[in-house]
Amino acid sequence: MCRARTRCGPPRRGGVILELILVTPIIMVVLLGALEYGMLNITHAGVTHATTVGARESGKLDPSDEIVLSEVVGEVNAVLEAHGIVISNAVGSGTKLVIQDGDDPGNPLVYGDPSFVCSPPLAPPLNFDEVRFTLCIDFSAT
């Protein structure tokens, strides 16, 4: 016979602990996935900003001058260093930047990993007063 304020049936102990043990790994995986996704978005924003800075600096200077390349690389690296990315000439770095001048688009200034293939887009064609800045990063190598 069961009364109104007592439990009927076998005693149930440890049910809450069992639920916690089963649900905690799932919650942790979801939280770590959200953290990784957020870090990916922050890095994407940083690379986009570095590309904008590189394009701005490339457009300010005469692209036929080799000094432009070192100045642009310095500005881009200043933005990317917060994300642990460095544009370098080292083989295997997986980074490369290409600056094309509208006056001579077939002769771009290239800086970065010589073994890394980075092809700037061919369209739209450049006008004589335009500069195209392409930044390629292999995230599996950095």
Side-chain angles (χ1 to χ4, degrees), residues 63 100-106 126-132:
Q100 291 174 302
D101 185 18
D103 289 337
D104 188 13
L126 293 173
N127 292 330
F128 71 93
D129 61 343
E130 294 179 332
V131 174
R132 177 177 290 140

Side-chain angles (χ1 to χ4, degrees), residues 33-132:
L35 180 70
E36 286 287 326
Y37 184 72
M39 291 171 55
L40 175 70
N41 281 334
I42 290 171
T43 304
H44 181 268
V47 170
T48 302
H49 179 62
T51 304
T52 304
V53 167
R56 184 182 315 118
E57 293 300 317
S58 298
K60 286 181 187 176
L61 306 167
D62 181 16
S64 64
D65 191 4
E66 285 293 325
I67 297 172
V68 170
L69 192 59
S70 63
E71 289 182 20
V72 171
V73 169
E75 293 290 330
V76 170
N77 278 336
V79 174
L80 290 177
E81 71 182 354
H83 304 283
I85 302 170
V86 176
I87 307 297
S88 72
N89 275 334
V91 175
S93 68
T95 57
K96 187 176 276 191
L97 62 87
V98 180
I99 303 171
Q100 291 174 302
D101 185 18
D103 289 337
D104 188 13
N107 189 20
L109 295 174
V110 180
Y111 183 86
D113 183 355
S115 66
F116 183 53
V117 178
C118 175
S119 302
L122 300 175
L126 293 173
N127 292 330
F128 71 93
D129 61 343
E130 294 179 332
V131 174
R132 177 177 290 140

Side-chain angles (χ1 to χ4, degrees), residues 13-43:
R13 295 184 183 183
V16 174
I17 296 294
L18 182 61
E19 289 174 4
L20 181 68
I21 290 172
L22 292 174
V23 172
T24 300
I26 296 169
I27 291 173
M28 292 301 292
V29 166
V30 169
L31 288 176
L32 289 174
L35 180 70
E36 286 287 326
Y37 184 72
M39 291 171 55
L40 175 70
N41 281 334
I42 290 171
T43 304

